[in-house]
Amino acid sequence: MSHYVVTGGAGFIGSAIVRALLAEGARRIVVIDNLLSGSESNLEEVRGAVDFQKSDIRNYDEIAPLVRGAAVIFHEAAIPSVPRSIDDPVPSHDVNINGTFNVLRAARDGNVGRVVYAASSSAYGDTEVLPKQEWMTPRPKSPYALQKLVGEYYMNVFSSVFGLETVALRYFNVYGPRQDPGSPYSGVLSLFMKAVLERTQPTIFGDGSQSRDFTYVEDVAALNLKAARAPNVSGKLYNGGNGGCITLNQAWALLQKLEGVEIPARYGPPRAGDVHDSQADTTLAVRDLGHAPRFSFEEGMRRTLEWYRTQ
Ligand code: UD2
């Protein structure tokens, strides 16, 4: 019986994919994670149902036997964060580009059925119009954005040249339970959640008018499962967003409303490499993959806040 592999499966998004697979009745799931930013606690209640392998995608010899013969690899392992890739570009380059190449090489050598890749909306950079559509010319503004774009191109080339089935999903600012707020590089909503629950001021870089298509993690996990099964999509790229457009000021205002508090945000200088506006056109993902995001921004925020409250 062939198995599923989730690289970065102990991370925030990877562990949500693991849960979605188990909910669908998957029997064999191998999680590959070096625990650099992931944590076994993200897999707590499903730990007995998965084969956890502490392993690094930078090491081909380690991962090749683990992926051999897999039905699908969900490739989530990465060093995320635009500012982190600027402050410390070598590790993110190595993991995001060389690590991704190793995963593809191991997939091809091991006759894997399909690779579904976690690409990033950062690849678009600043576009003249919104929403962003897959045909638009990429304009990466940071090492991270470029690295994730190289991964997409590698997916496409492994499909066309080696006949490996690949699909790339450009995620749009995923948020939800288990996103770690413990680092300055953490996703902004996890930092906002921490601030509102601790009654402290968040810092907003810029004037807060920048917007994001914040996408709830369970919608992204569901999309991954659809991308794993959809016919005739090899080598293609899809937006994995929700279609929304929420400014940081709106997001912080909503959290204050949900908590019933008034805490003015602190404003700092804009961040290098930052994209100003981001919103997904979901037409292609809906048409080809059956993408059907279920969570409105407010509903996703309520659920996420509830989870942080219990931590
Ligand atoms: C990028 C990608 C996203 C994903 C992510 C992984 C875009 C549009 N999105 O997210 O798809 O790949 O990278 O890391 O490129 N901010 C504050 N205060 C804080 C922290 C952040 O104001 O304490 C701002 C930040 O300047 C930015 C926004 O919040 O304008 C979102 O930042 P982020 O780090 O959560 O995610 P972002 O958009 O770089």
Side-chain angles (χ1 to χ4, degrees), residues 80-83 119-123 144 171-174 184-189 191-192 203-205 210 212 214 248 271 274-275 277-278:
S81 169
V82 167
S120 167
S121 62
S122 58
Y144 170 75
Y171 295 168
F172 280 70
N173 290 73
V174 185
Y185 301 126
S186 299
V188 69
L189 293 185
L191 296 170
F192 278 9
T203 301
I204 292 181
F205 301 126
Q210 65 267 50
R212 294 292 181 267
F214 292 110
L248 293 189
R271 217 172 60 176
D274 223 20
V275 169
D277 298 300
S278 182

PDB file of all heavy atoms in Angstrom, residues 80-83 119-123 144 171-174 184-189 191-192 203-205 210 212 214 248 271 274-275 277-278, ligand 1:
ATOM      1  N   PRO A  80      10.162  29.884   6.179  1.00  0.00           N
ATOM      2  CA  PRO A  80       9.345  30.973   5.672  1.00  0.00           C
ATOM      3  C   PRO A  80       9.859  32.328   6.163  1.00  0.00           C
ATOM      4  O   PRO A  80      10.868  32.386   6.871  1.00  0.00           O
ATOM      5  CB  PRO A  80       7.956  30.674   6.233  1.00  0.00           C
ATOM      6  CG  PRO A  80       8.186  29.886   7.461  1.00  0.00           C
ATOM      7  CD  PRO A  80       9.538  29.203   7.320  1.00  0.00           C
ATOM      8  N   SER A  81       9.168  33.357   5.784  1.00  0.00           N
ATOM      9  CA  SER A  81       9.366  34.730   6.255  1.00  0.00           C
ATOM     10  C   SER A  81      10.243  35.568   5.329  1.00  0.00           C
ATOM     11  O   SER A  81      11.419  35.254   5.089  1.00  0.00           O
ATOM     12  CB  SER A  81       9.943  34.774   7.675  1.00  0.00           C
ATOM     13  OG  SER A  81      10.341  36.083   7.984  1.00  0.00           O
ATOM     14  N   VAL A  82       9.630  36.638   4.854  1.00  0.00           N
ATOM     15  CA  VAL A  82      10.341  37.633   4.034  1.00  0.00           C
ATOM     16  C   VAL A  82      11.492  38.261   4.834  1.00  0.00           C
ATOM     17  O   VAL A  82      12.650  38.237   4.379  1.00  0.00           O
ATOM     18  CB  VAL A  82       9.344  38.704   3.519  1.00  0.00           C
ATOM     19  CG1 VAL A  82      10.067  39.908   2.956  1.00  0.00           C
ATOM     20  CG2 VAL A  82       8.389  38.094   2.494  1.00  0.00           C
ATOM     21  N   PRO A  83      11.247  38.810   6.039  1.00  0.00           N
ATOM     22  CA  PRO A  83      12.357  39.474   6.747  1.00  0.00           C
ATOM     23  C   PRO A  83      13.459  38.506   7.164  1.00  0.00           C
ATOM     24  O   PRO A  83      14.639  38.865   7.153  1.00  0.00           O
ATOM     25  CB  PRO A  83      11.688  40.110   7.975  1.00  0.00           C
ATOM     26  CG  PRO A  83      10.368  39.459   8.112  1.00  0.00           C
ATOM     27  CD  PRO A  83       9.965  39.014   6.745  1.00  0.00           C
ATOM     28  N   ALA A 119       3.781  26.831  -2.589  1.00  0.00           N
ATOM     29  CA  ALA A 119       4.369  28.050  -3.167  1.00  0.00           C
ATOM     30  C   ALA A 119       3.831  29.252  -2.396  1.00  0.00           C
ATOM     31  O   ALA A 119       3.038  29.103  -1.471  1.00  0.00           O
ATOM     32  CB  ALA A 119       4.022  28.135  -4.645  1.00  0.00           C
ATOM     33  N   SER A 120       4.280  30.441  -2.790  1.00  0.00           N
ATOM     34  CA  SER A 120       3.914  31.626  -2.006  1.00  0.00           C
ATOM     35  C   SER A 120       3.422  32.770  -2.883  1.00  0.00           C
ATOM     36  O   SER A 120       4.012  33.070  -3.930  1.00  0.00           O
ATOM     37  CB  SER A 120       5.130  32.096  -1.208  1.00  0.00           C
ATOM     38  OG  SER A 120       4.896  33.401  -0.690  1.00  0.00           O
ATOM     39  N   SER A 121       2.387  33.440  -2.403  1.00  0.00           N
ATOM     40  CA  SER A 121       1.846  34.615  -3.096  1.00  0.00           C
ATOM     41  C   SER A 121       2.873  35.734  -3.190  1.00  0.00           C
ATOM     42  O   SER A 121       2.707  36.658  -3.993  1.00  0.00           O
ATOM     43  CB  SER A 121       0.622  35.138  -2.351  1.00  0.00           C
ATOM     44  OG  SER A 121       0.997  35.553  -1.042  1.00  0.00           O
ATOM     45  N   SER A 122       3.928  35.652  -2.378  1.00  0.00           N
ATOM     46  CA  SER A 122       4.966  36.688  -2.429  1.00  0.00           C
ATOM     47  C   SER A 122       5.623  36.735  -3.810  1.00  0.00           C
ATOM     48  O   SER A 122       6.191  37.757  -4.198  1.00  0.00           O
ATOM     49  CB  SER A 122       6.026  36.452  -1.354  1.00  0.00           C
ATOM     50  OG  SER A 122       6.604  35.180  -1.509  1.00  0.00           O
ATOM     51  N   ALA A 123       5.532  35.655  -4.575  1.00  0.00           N
ATOM     52  CA  ALA A 123       6.134  35.615  -5.914  1.00  0.00           C
ATOM     53  C   ALA A 123       5.585  36.720  -6.817  1.00  0.00           C
ATOM     54  O   ALA A 123       6.290  37.227  -7.692  1.00  0.00           O
ATOM     55  CB  ALA A 123       5.899  34.256  -6.564  1.00  0.00           C
ATOM     56  N   TYR A 144      13.162  35.435  -0.049  1.00  0.00           N
ATOM     57  CA  TYR A 144      12.147  34.400   0.193  1.00  0.00           C
ATOM     58  C   TYR A 144      11.212  34.243  -1.009  1.00  0.00           C
ATOM     59  O   TYR A 144      10.939  33.118  -1.466  1.00  0.00           O
ATOM     60  CB  TYR A 144      11.342  34.753   1.447  1.00  0.00           C
ATOM     61  CG  TYR A 144      10.131  33.891   1.648  1.00  0.00           C
ATOM     62  CD1 TYR A 144      10.240  32.580   2.096  1.00  0.00           C
ATOM     63  CD2 TYR A 144       8.852  34.377   1.366  1.00  0.00           C
ATOM     64  CE1 TYR A 144       9.116  31.778   2.256  1.00  0.00           C
ATOM     65  CE2 TYR A 144       7.730  33.592   1.529  1.00  0.00           C
ATOM     66  CZ  TYR A 144       7.860  32.296   1.979  1.00  0.00           C
ATOM     67  OH  TYR A 144       6.755  31.511   2.134  1.00  0.00           O
ATOM     68  N   TYR A 171       0.186  29.924  -1.710  1.00  0.00           N
ATOM     69  CA  TYR A 171      -0.564  30.253  -0.499  1.00  0.00           C
ATOM     70  C   TYR A 171      -0.610  31.764  -0.308  1.00  0.00           C
ATOM     71  O   TYR A 171       0.373  32.460  -0.556  1.00  0.00           O
ATOM     72  CB  TYR A 171       0.111  29.653   0.740  1.00  0.00           C
ATOM     73  CG  TYR A 171       0.156  28.147   0.819  1.00  0.00           C
ATOM     74  CD1 TYR A 171       0.973  27.545   1.774  1.00  0.00           C
ATOM     75  CD2 TYR A 171      -0.606  27.345  -0.005  1.00  0.00           C
ATOM     76  CE1 TYR A 171       1.037  26.166   1.891  1.00  0.00           C
ATOM     77  CE2 TYR A 171      -0.549  25.958   0.106  1.00  0.00           C
ATOM     78  CZ  TYR A 171       0.284  25.379   1.052  1.00  0.00           C
ATOM     79  OH  TYR A 171       0.351  24.015   1.164  1.00  0.00           O
ATOM     80  N   PHE A 172      -1.757  32.216   0.218  1.00  0.00           N
ATOM     81  CA  PHE A 172      -1.934  33.643   0.525  1.00  0.00           C
ATOM     82  C   PHE A 172      -2.078  33.824   2.039  1.00  0.00           C
ATOM     83  O   PHE A 172      -3.152  33.680   2.585  1.00  0.00           O
ATOM     84  CB  PHE A 172      -3.178  34.185  -0.197  1.00  0.00           C
ATOM     85  CG  PHE A 172      -2.935  34.507  -1.641  1.00  0.00           C
ATOM     86  CD1 PHE A 172      -2.729  33.512  -2.583  1.00  0.00           C
ATOM     87  CD2 PHE A 172      -2.906  35.830  -2.069  1.00  0.00           C
ATOM     88  CE1 PHE A 172      -2.506  33.818  -3.913  1.00  0.00           C
ATOM     89  CE2 PHE A 172      -2.683  36.151  -3.403  1.00  0.00           C
ATOM     90  CZ  PHE A 172      -2.483  35.154  -4.327  1.00  0.00           C
ATOM     91  N   ASN A 173      -1.031  34.153   2.716  1.00  0.00           N
ATOM     92  CA  ASN A 173      -1.045  34.484   4.149  1.00  0.00           C
ATOM     93  C   ASN A 173      -1.982  33.593   4.963  1.00  0.00           C
ATOM     94  O   ASN A 173      -3.073  34.007   5.375  1.00  0.00           O
ATOM     95  CB  ASN A 173      -1.375  35.962   4.336  1.00  0.00           C
ATOM     96  CG  ASN A 173      -0.213  36.831   3.869  1.00  0.00           C
ATOM     97  OD1 ASN A 173       0.030  36.960   2.662  1.00  0.00           O
ATOM     98  ND2 ASN A 173       0.555  37.366   4.803  1.00  0.00           N
ATOM     99  N   VAL A 174      -1.520  32.388   5.172  1.00  0.00           N
ATOM    100  CA  VAL A 174      -2.290  31.385   5.903  1.00  0.00           C
ATOM    101  C   VAL A 174      -2.222  31.693   7.403  1.00  0.00           C
ATOM    102  O   VAL A 174      -1.171  32.075   7.921  1.00  0.00           O
ATOM    103  CB  VAL A 174      -1.717  29.979   5.618  1.00  0.00           C
ATOM    104  CG1 VAL A 174      -2.595  28.915   6.273  1.00  0.00           C
ATOM    105  CG2 VAL A 174      -1.615  29.754   4.112  1.00  0.00           C
ATOM    106  N   PRO A 184       9.986  36.987  16.058  1.00  0.00           N
ATOM    107  CA  PRO A 184       9.669  38.233  15.347  1.00  0.00           C
ATOM    108  C   PRO A 184       9.314  37.962  13.885  1.00  0.00           C
ATOM    109  O   PRO A 184       8.744  38.817  13.209  1.00  0.00           O
ATOM    110  CB  PRO A 184      10.960  39.051  15.457  1.00  0.00           C
ATOM    111  CG  PRO A 184      12.024  38.099  15.886  1.00  0.00           C
ATOM    112  CD  PRO A 184      11.370  36.964  16.579  1.00  0.00           C
ATOM    113  N   TYR A 185       9.652  36.760  13.396  1.00  0.00           N
ATOM    114  CA  TYR A 185       9.355  36.408  12.002  1.00  0.00           C
ATOM    115  C   TYR A 185       7.991  35.723  11.851  1.00  0.00           C
ATOM    116  O   TYR A 185       7.623  35.284  10.762  1.00  0.00           O
ATOM    117  CB  TYR A 185      10.441  35.489  11.445  1.00  0.00           C
ATOM    118  CG  TYR A 185      11.829  36.102  11.488  1.00  0.00           C
ATOM    119  CD1 TYR A 185      12.888  35.441  12.090  1.00  0.00           C
ATOM    120  CD2 TYR A 185      12.064  37.352  10.927  1.00  0.00           C
ATOM    121  CE1 TYR A 185      14.164  35.997  12.127  1.00  0.00           C
ATOM    122  CE2 TYR A 185      13.322  37.925  10.966  1.00  0.00           C
ATOM    123  CZ  TYR A 185      14.372  37.244  11.557  1.00  0.00           C
ATOM    124  OH  TYR A 185      15.615  37.806  11.593  1.00  0.00           O
ATOM    125  N   SER A 186       7.264  35.606  12.958  1.00  0.00           N
ATOM    126  CA  SER A 186       5.970  34.906  12.907  1.00  0.00           C
ATOM    127  C   SER A 186       4.966  35.670  12.054  1.00  0.00           C
ATOM    128  O   SER A 186       5.076  36.894  11.881  1.00  0.00           O
ATOM    129  CB  SER A 186       5.405  34.781  14.323  1.00  0.00           C
ATOM    130  OG  SER A 186       6.280  34.040  15.152  1.00  0.00           O
ATOM    131  N   GLY A 187       3.968  34.955  11.569  1.00  0.00           N
ATOM    132  CA  GLY A 187       2.899  35.566  10.774  1.00  0.00           C
ATOM    133  C   GLY A 187       2.189  36.642  11.592  1.00  0.00           C
ATOM    134  O   GLY A 187       1.986  36.488  12.802  1.00  0.00           O
ATOM    135  N   VAL A 188       1.787  37.712  10.918  1.00  0.00           N
ATOM    136  CA  VAL A 188       1.295  38.889  11.638  1.00  0.00           C
ATOM    137  C   VAL A 188       0.057  38.576  12.487  1.00  0.00           C
ATOM    138  O   VAL A 188      -0.072  39.096  13.595  1.00  0.00           O
ATOM    139  CB  VAL A 188       1.036  40.064  10.655  1.00  0.00           C
ATOM    140  CG1 VAL A 188      -0.148  39.780   9.730  1.00  0.00           C
ATOM    141  CG2 VAL A 188       0.829  41.351  11.410  1.00  0.00           C
ATOM    142  N   LEU A 189      -0.842  37.717  11.997  1.00  0.00           N
ATOM    143  CA  LEU A 189      -2.060  37.481  12.793  1.00  0.00           C
ATOM    144  C   LEU A 189      -1.755  36.718  14.080  1.00  0.00           C
ATOM    145  O   LEU A 189      -2.405  36.940  15.101  1.00  0.00           O
ATOM    146  CB  LEU A 189      -3.130  36.763  11.963  1.00  0.00           C
ATOM    147  CG  LEU A 189      -3.713  37.582  10.811  1.00  0.00           C
ATOM    148  CD1 LEU A 189      -4.854  36.817  10.139  1.00  0.00           C
ATOM    149  CD2 LEU A 189      -4.181  38.962  11.265  1.00  0.00           C
ATOM    150  N   LEU A 191       0.903  37.129  15.822  1.00  0.00           N
ATOM    151  CA  LEU A 191       1.435  38.174  16.718  1.00  0.00           C
ATOM    152  C   LEU A 191       0.306  39.064  17.235  1.00  0.00           C
ATOM    153  O   LEU A 191       0.291  39.445  18.406  1.00  0.00           O
ATOM    154  CB  LEU A 191       2.490  39.011  15.979  1.00  0.00           C
ATOM    155  CG  LEU A 191       3.746  38.238  15.550  1.00  0.00           C
ATOM    156  CD1 LEU A 191       4.614  39.082  14.622  1.00  0.00           C
ATOM    157  CD2 LEU A 191       4.563  37.810  16.775  1.00  0.00           C
ATOM    158  N   PHE A 192      -0.655  39.361  16.375  1.00  0.00           N
ATOM    159  CA  PHE A 192      -1.820  40.161  16.804  1.00  0.00           C
ATOM    160  C   PHE A 192      -2.617  39.406  17.877  1.00  0.00           C
ATOM    161  O   PHE A 192      -3.098  40.001  18.833  1.00  0.00           O
ATOM    162  CB  PHE A 192      -2.739  40.447  15.606  1.00  0.00           C
ATOM    163  CG  PHE A 192      -2.320  41.612  14.733  1.00  0.00           C
ATOM    164  CD1 PHE A 192      -1.093  42.249  14.883  1.00  0.00           C
ATOM    165  CD2 PHE A 192      -3.188  42.085  13.746  1.00  0.00           C
ATOM    166  CE1 PHE A 192      -0.721  43.323  14.073  1.00  0.00           C
ATOM    167  CE2 PHE A 192      -2.839  43.157  12.936  1.00  0.00           C
ATOM    168  CZ  PHE A 192      -1.611  43.778  13.091  1.00  0.00           C
ATOM    169  N   THR A 203       2.912  45.898  16.952  1.00  0.00           N
ATOM    170  CA  THR A 203       3.578  46.877  16.081  1.00  0.00           C
ATOM    171  C   THR A 203       3.122  46.635  14.655  1.00  0.00           C
ATOM    172  O   THR A 203       3.140  45.497  14.182  1.00  0.00           O
ATOM    173  CB  THR A 203       5.111  46.716  16.157  1.00  0.00           C
ATOM    174  OG1 THR A 203       5.500  46.894  17.513  1.00  0.00           O
ATOM    175  CG2 THR A 203       5.824  47.740  15.288  1.00  0.00           C
ATOM    176  N   ILE A 204       2.701  47.701  14.006  1.00  0.00           N
ATOM    177  CA  ILE A 204       2.345  47.616  12.586  1.00  0.00           C
ATOM    178  C   ILE A 204       3.426  48.331  11.797  1.00  0.00           C
ATOM    179  O   ILE A 204       3.754  49.482  12.089  1.00  0.00           O
ATOM    180  CB  ILE A 204       0.949  48.242  12.339  1.00  0.00           C
ATOM    181  CG1 ILE A 204      -0.125  47.362  13.006  1.00  0.00           C
ATOM    182  CG2 ILE A 204       0.684  48.414  10.846  1.00  0.00           C
ATOM    183  CD1 ILE A 204      -1.555  47.850  12.817  1.00  0.00           C
ATOM    184  N   PHE A 205       3.997  47.619  10.817  1.00  0.00           N
ATOM    185  CA  PHE A 205       5.058  48.206  10.001  1.00  0.00           C
ATOM    186  C   PHE A 205       4.427  48.974   8.848  1.00  0.00           C
ATOM    187  O   PHE A 205       3.788  48.363   7.991  1.00  0.00           O
ATOM    188  CB  PHE A 205       6.000  47.117   9.478  1.00  0.00           C
ATOM    189  CG  PHE A 205       6.649  46.324  10.587  1.00  0.00           C
ATOM    190  CD1 PHE A 205       6.570  44.944  10.615  1.00  0.00           C
ATOM    191  CD2 PHE A 205       7.329  46.974  11.614  1.00  0.00           C
ATOM    192  CE1 PHE A 205       7.162  44.219  11.638  1.00  0.00           C
ATOM    193  CE2 PHE A 205       7.917  46.257  12.645  1.00  0.00           C
ATOM    194  CZ  PHE A 205       7.831  44.879  12.660  1.00  0.00           C
ATOM    195  N   GLN A 210      -1.667  48.333   4.286  1.00  0.00           N
ATOM    196  CA  GLN A 210      -1.361  47.195   3.410  1.00  0.00           C
ATOM    197  C   GLN A 210      -2.378  46.076   3.665  1.00  0.00           C
ATOM    198  O   GLN A 210      -2.863  45.910   4.780  1.00  0.00           O
ATOM    199  CB  GLN A 210       0.091  46.695   3.589  1.00  0.00           C
ATOM    200  CG  GLN A 210       0.466  46.111   4.917  1.00  0.00           C
ATOM    201  CD  GLN A 210       1.054  47.147   5.869  1.00  0.00           C
ATOM    202  OE1 GLN A 210       0.492  48.209   6.079  1.00  0.00           O
ATOM    203  NE2 GLN A 210       2.175  46.816   6.499  1.00  0.00           N
ATOM    204  N   ARG A 212      -3.954  41.973   2.937  1.00  0.00           N
ATOM    205  CA  ARG A 212      -3.622  40.573   2.689  1.00  0.00           C
ATOM    206  C   ARG A 212      -4.901  39.769   2.483  1.00  0.00           C
ATOM    207  O   ARG A 212      -5.945  40.088   3.056  1.00  0.00           O
ATOM    208  CB  ARG A 212      -2.868  39.971   3.889  1.00  0.00           C
ATOM    209  CG  ARG A 212      -1.474  40.566   4.136  1.00  0.00           C
ATOM    210  CD  ARG A 212      -0.509  40.184   3.025  1.00  0.00           C
ATOM    211  NE  ARG A 212       0.843  40.690   3.216  1.00  0.00           N
ATOM    212  CZ  ARG A 212       1.312  41.830   2.726  1.00  0.00           C
ATOM    213  NH1 ARG A 212       0.517  42.638   2.032  1.00  0.00           N
ATOM    214  NH2 ARG A 212       2.569  42.173   2.916  1.00  0.00           N
ATOM    215  N   PHE A 214      -5.977  36.944   3.810  1.00  0.00           N
ATOM    216  CA  PHE A 214      -5.721  35.975   4.882  1.00  0.00           C
ATOM    217  C   PHE A 214      -6.579  34.730   4.672  1.00  0.00           C
ATOM    218  O   PHE A 214      -7.791  34.826   4.468  1.00  0.00           O
ATOM    219  CB  PHE A 214      -6.018  36.614   6.242  1.00  0.00           C
ATOM    220  CG  PHE A 214      -5.064  37.708   6.613  1.00  0.00           C
ATOM    221  CD1 PHE A 214      -5.477  39.041   6.639  1.00  0.00           C
ATOM    222  CD2 PHE A 214      -3.743  37.420   6.925  1.00  0.00           C
ATOM    223  CE1 PHE A 214      -4.590  40.055   6.980  1.00  0.00           C
ATOM    224  CE2 PHE A 214      -2.844  38.429   7.268  1.00  0.00           C
ATOM    225  CZ  PHE A 214      -3.270  39.757   7.296  1.00  0.00           C
ATOM    226  N   LEU A 248      -4.242  45.556   7.479  1.00  0.00           N
ATOM    227  CA  LEU A 248      -3.779  45.251   8.838  1.00  0.00           C
ATOM    228  C   LEU A 248      -4.586  46.040   9.858  1.00  0.00           C
ATOM    229  O   LEU A 248      -4.910  45.532  10.939  1.00  0.00           O
ATOM    230  CB  LEU A 248      -2.293  45.570   8.988  1.00  0.00           C
ATOM    231  CG  LEU A 248      -1.330  44.704   8.191  1.00  0.00           C
ATOM    232  CD1 LEU A 248       0.101  44.982   8.615  1.00  0.00           C
ATOM    233  CD2 LEU A 248      -1.630  43.225   8.349  1.00  0.00           C
ATOM    234  N   ARG A 271       8.443  47.616   6.306  1.00  0.00           N
ATOM    235  CA  ARG A 271       9.439  46.535   6.295  1.00  0.00           C
ATOM    236  C   ARG A 271      10.024  46.367   4.891  1.00  0.00           C
ATOM    237  O   ARG A 271       9.274  46.403   3.899  1.00  0.00           O
ATOM    238  CB  ARG A 271       8.707  45.255   6.704  1.00  0.00           C
ATOM    239  CG  ARG A 271       9.486  44.318   7.543  1.00  0.00           C
ATOM    240  CD  ARG A 271       8.609  43.190   8.060  1.00  0.00           C
ATOM    241  NE  ARG A 271       8.009  42.388   6.998  1.00  0.00           N
ATOM    242  CZ  ARG A 271       7.276  41.317   7.222  1.00  0.00           C
ATOM    243  NH1 ARG A 271       7.049  40.898   8.459  1.00  0.00           N
ATOM    244  NH2 ARG A 271       6.756  40.630   6.235  1.00  0.00           N
ATOM    245  N   ASP A 274       8.534  44.179   1.644  1.00  0.00           N
ATOM    246  CA  ASP A 274       7.098  43.979   1.869  1.00  0.00           C
ATOM    247  C   ASP A 274       6.289  44.258   0.599  1.00  0.00           C
ATOM    248  O   ASP A 274       6.526  45.255  -0.091  1.00  0.00           O
ATOM    249  CB  ASP A 274       6.640  44.963   2.953  1.00  0.00           C
ATOM    250  CG  ASP A 274       5.709  44.330   3.972  1.00  0.00           C
ATOM    251  OD1 ASP A 274       5.707  43.094   4.089  1.00  0.00           O
ATOM    252  OD2 ASP A 274       5.002  45.083   4.654  1.00  0.00           O
ATOM    253  N   VAL A 275       5.322  43.396   0.335  1.00  0.00           N
ATOM    254  CA  VAL A 275       4.354  43.628  -0.736  1.00  0.00           C
ATOM    255  C   VAL A 275       3.247  44.489  -0.140  1.00  0.00           C
ATOM    256  O   VAL A 275       2.861  44.286   1.014  1.00  0.00           O
ATOM    257  CB  VAL A 275       3.795  42.273  -1.214  1.00  0.00           C
ATOM    258  CG1 VAL A 275       2.594  42.455  -2.126  1.00  0.00           C
ATOM    259  CG2 VAL A 275       4.893  41.471  -1.910  1.00  0.00           C
ATOM    260  N   ASP A 277      -0.120  45.100  -1.353  1.00  0.00           N
ATOM    261  CA  ASP A 277      -1.465  44.508  -1.384  1.00  0.00           C
ATOM    262  C   ASP A 277      -1.434  43.109  -1.984  1.00  0.00           C
ATOM    263  O   ASP A 277      -0.673  42.847  -2.917  1.00  0.00           O
ATOM    264  CB  ASP A 277      -2.399  45.387  -2.221  1.00  0.00           C
ATOM    265  CG  ASP A 277      -2.543  46.763  -1.610  1.00  0.00           C
ATOM    266  OD1 ASP A 277      -3.008  46.833  -0.460  1.00  0.00           O
ATOM    267  OD2 ASP A 277      -2.137  47.744  -2.261  1.00  0.00           O
ATOM    268  N   SER A 278      -2.279  42.261  -1.438  1.00  0.00           N
ATOM    269  CA  SER A 278      -2.289  40.875  -1.897  1.00  0.00           C
ATOM    270  C   SER A 278      -3.706  40.323  -1.844  1.00  0.00           C
ATOM    271  O   SER A 278      -4.373  40.419  -0.810  1.00  0.00           O
ATOM    272  CB  SER A 278      -1.354  40.053  -0.992  1.00  0.00           C
ATOM    273  OG  SER A 278      -1.298  38.733  -1.426  1.00  0.00           O
TER     274      SER A 278
HETATM  275  C1  UD2 B   1       4.510  36.368   2.876  1.00  0.00           C
HETATM  276  C2  UD2 B   1       3.540  35.885   1.784  1.00  0.00           C
HETATM  277  C3  UD2 B   1       2.724  34.710   2.328  1.00  0.00           C
HETATM  278  C4  UD2 B   1       3.622  33.620   2.902  1.00  0.00           C
HETATM  279  C5  UD2 B   1       4.488  34.245   3.964  1.00  0.00           C
HETATM  280  C6  UD2 B   1       5.421  33.256   4.637  1.00  0.00           C
HETATM  281  C7  UD2 B   1       3.008  38.006   0.670  1.00  0.00           C
HETATM  282  C8  UD2 B   1       1.951  38.955   0.275  1.00  0.00           C
HETATM  283  N1  UD2 B   1       2.633  36.951   1.411  1.00  0.00           N
HETATM  284  O1  UD2 B   1       3.740  36.892   3.924  1.00  0.00           O
HETATM  285  O2  UD2 B   1       1.928  34.181   1.274  1.00  0.00           O
HETATM  286  O3  UD2 B   1       4.388  33.010   1.897  1.00  0.00           O
HETATM  287  O4  UD2 B   1       5.282  35.303   3.384  1.00  0.00           O
HETATM  288  O5  UD2 B   1       6.235  33.890   5.589  1.00  0.00           O
HETATM  289  O6  UD2 B   1       4.152  38.177   0.313  1.00  0.00           O
HETATM  290  N2  UD2 B   1       3.637  43.024   9.963  1.00  0.00           N
HETATM  291  C9  UD2 B   1       3.384  43.998  10.936  1.00  0.00           C
HETATM  292  N3  UD2 B   1       3.757  43.740  12.207  1.00  0.00           N
HETATM  293  C10 UD2 B   1       4.355  42.565  12.584  1.00  0.00           C
HETATM  294  C11 UD2 B   1       4.593  41.585  11.583  1.00  0.00           C
HETATM  295  C12 UD2 B   1       4.214  41.847  10.282  1.00  0.00           C
HETATM  296  O7  UD2 B   1       2.857  45.070  10.634  1.00  0.00           O
HETATM  297  O8  UD2 B   1       4.660  42.415  13.763  1.00  0.00           O
HETATM  298  C13 UD2 B   1       3.187  43.297   8.574  1.00  0.00           C
HETATM  299  C14 UD2 B   1       4.229  43.052   7.506  1.00  0.00           C
HETATM  300  O9  UD2 B   1       5.038  44.195   7.323  1.00  0.00           O
HETATM  301  C15 UD2 B   1       3.325  42.746   6.313  1.00  0.00           C
HETATM  302  C16 UD2 B   1       2.094  42.054   6.919  1.00  0.00           C
HETATM  303  O10 UD2 B   1       2.130  42.382   8.306  1.00  0.00           O
HETATM  304  O11 UD2 B   1       2.898  43.949   5.683  1.00  0.00           O
HETATM  305  C17 UD2 B   1       2.137  40.546   6.804  1.00  0.00           C
HETATM  306  O12 UD2 B   1       3.417  40.098   7.241  1.00  0.00           O
HETATM  307  P1  UD2 B   1       3.711  38.546   7.491  1.00  0.00           P
HETATM  308  O13 UD2 B   1       5.124  38.433   7.921  1.00  0.00           O
HETATM  309  O14 UD2 B   1       2.667  37.974   8.357  1.00  0.00           O
HETATM  310  O15 UD2 B   1       3.483  37.899   6.078  1.00  0.00           O
HETATM  311  P2  UD2 B   1       3.931  38.339   4.571  1.00  0.00           P
HETATM  312  O16 UD2 B   1       2.863  39.191   3.998  1.00  0.00           O
HETATM  313  O17 UD2 B   1       5.332  38.782   4.528  1.00  0.00           O
END
